[in-house]
Amino acid sequence: MLSTTITVLLLTLCNTIIAVHCTNVNVDSFTNCKNNDNDTLPTNSTNNNVRWTHVPIPPLVDALLDEEWDTLDPSASEMISTFRTNKSFARFPHARNVFKNHLIGTFGLLGMWGQPYDVRRTGLFHTAYGGDLFGFAKWDASSMSHREELRNITGEDSEALTYLFGTVNRGALLNLAGLMANDTIDERLSSDSPDVIVEHRISGLISVSAADIAKIMVVTMADYLEQMVEVNGWRDHHQVEEPLKLYPGGGRPATAFYWISKICRAVRNALEVIPP
């Protein structure tokens, strides 16, 4: 039994997010709450402290949940078809699934955040050239023909950003590596911040604009967030003992949230679109 103030967000099959705010409610009263054909949620008739608020799911969130990728980018299906012709994307294990699913998920998050198309597409192919933290690559960043091949798939702006993402020392941008290690950050960017000289694994040292740094960091945030799902319904229900009152999980924030929020604050003023 729990008597407290609780806010619960339930994602339902009726295309609404239902925000449930309960004050001094016995958690057992939730067991009889369900959705009916009129899209209302009846509560326990003896409990007058439960209020249901229906909030429509934003269209971009709907597109992500329904995997309507072309809603997020008109060329999405064509670009994703690359993963069928290059089967290594579906054979290479990565995070909690195979590599192509992670790439599509990263693209989906960036699309849901309303990022520009070059940023979304970079998310879809973010480690196409490998990276400072990822030792595998589909295309050779030092090969002009390989770069042209990817450019023909994603477009010029996206390929250029993907190239930067995979070839610069991201850990040095805004002291990302230090932030991950000990919670420090160099500075905050704005649209008129000066270019930054950073190590590049092919060209030695290069100059990177504040706008490109901000875009690289947003793709990095989506990359990490896509892999941070902790709760697995089947595994956690059958193999891990958790109090049932905590369903669907303990709600523990993943450890990367502390630095992701700081990076987001650091680059927000240099972004075309700030993630919600």
Side-chain angles (χ1 to χ4, degrees):
M1 181 178 294
L2 177 63
S3 180
T4 185
T5 298
I6 306 171
T7 300
V8 181
L9 286 179
L10 300 176
L11 184 60
T12 72
L13 297 179
C14 62
N15 292 329
T16 56
I17 292 178
I18 302 167
V20 187
H21 183 79
C22 306
T23 304
N24 296 324
V25 178
N26 184 334
V27 171
D28 292 336
S29 66
F30 283 110
T31 58
N32 294 323
C33 296
K34 62 182 180 179
N35 215 1
N36 64 20
D37 292 338
N38 295 321
D39 214 26
T40 60
L41 289 168
T43 66
N44 189 320
S45 60
T46 62
N47 191 337
N48 296 319
N49 293 320
V50 179
R51 303 190 304 276
W52 302 96
T53 303
H54 294 252
V55 182
I57 294 179
L60 292 179
V61 178
D62 247 346
L64 176 63
L65 295 175
D66 294 335
E67 299 184 359
E68 295 176 349
W69 308 126
D70 286 346
T71 299
L72 301 179
D73 188 314
S75 299
S77 293
E78 182 179 357
M79 291 187 294
I80 291 172
S81 69
T82 303
F83 301 150
R84 290 194 293 271
T85 56
N86 295 271
K87 293 187 180 297
S88 57
F89 286 103
R91 303 294 187 268
F92 182 71
H94 185 73
R96 64 183 185 277
N97 210 301
V98 294
F99 195 35
K100 74 167 185 176
N101 290 352
H102 166 60
L103 295 174
I104 293 172
T106 303
F107 160 80
L109 284 176
L110 292 165
M112 184 182 68
W113 293 347
Q115 293 300 296
Y117 284 130
D118 62 329
V119 177
R120 302 181 196 194
R121 296 178 181 189
T122 296
L124 188 59
F125 292 95
H126 60 273
T127 43
Y129 296 126
D132 55 343
L133 302 177
F134 190 74
F136 303 91
K138 176 60 181 176
W139 288 276
D140 182 356
S142 64
S143 167
M144 294 307 296
S145 63
H146 280 215
R147 290 196 61 186
E148 180 66 22
E149 181 180 343
L150 184 58
R151 192 176 296 122
N152 289 336
I153 296 171
T154 68
E156 184 173 351
D157 291 343
S158 176
E159 188 278 332
L161 186 59
T162 304
Y163 176 76
L164 280 179
F165 187 94
T167 53
V168 300
N169 179 7
R170 276 187 297 152
L173 299 178
L174 297 175
N175 192 31
L176 176 62
L179 178 60
M180 290 180 175
N182 57 23
D183 203 21
T184 62
I185 192 166
D186 275 356
E187 60 181 315
R188 294 191 178 185
L189 295 176
S190 65
S191 57
D192 57 355
S193 293
D195 292 358
V196 173
I197 303 300
V198 64
E199 183 180 355
H200 189 273
R201 62 181 169 93
I202 296 173
S203 302
L205 295 175
I206 66 169
S207 176
V208 182
S209 69
D212 282 338
I213 292 173
K215 290 179 177 180
I216 289 170
M217 290 296 103
V218 168
V219 175
T220 299
M221 289 188 290
D223 175 18
Y224 274 80
L225 284 169
E226 199 284 327
Q227 302 175 65
M228 283 169 53
V229 174
E230 177 187 358
V231 175
N232 178 306
W234 179 265
R235 181 201 66 202
D236 291 352
H237 181 70
H238 294 283
Q239 301 179 36
V240 179
E241 290 188 5
E242 288 275 9
L244 293 179
K245 300 303 183 187
L246 296 179
Y247 180 84
R252 298 186 298 273
T255 57
F257 279 167
Y258 79 93
W259 65 260
I260 286 179
S261 62
K262 291 180 181 295
I263 283 291
C264 200
R265 286 198 300 273
V267 303
R268 59 178 288 127
N269 293 329
L271 290 172
E272 295 178 44
V273 179
I274 300 172

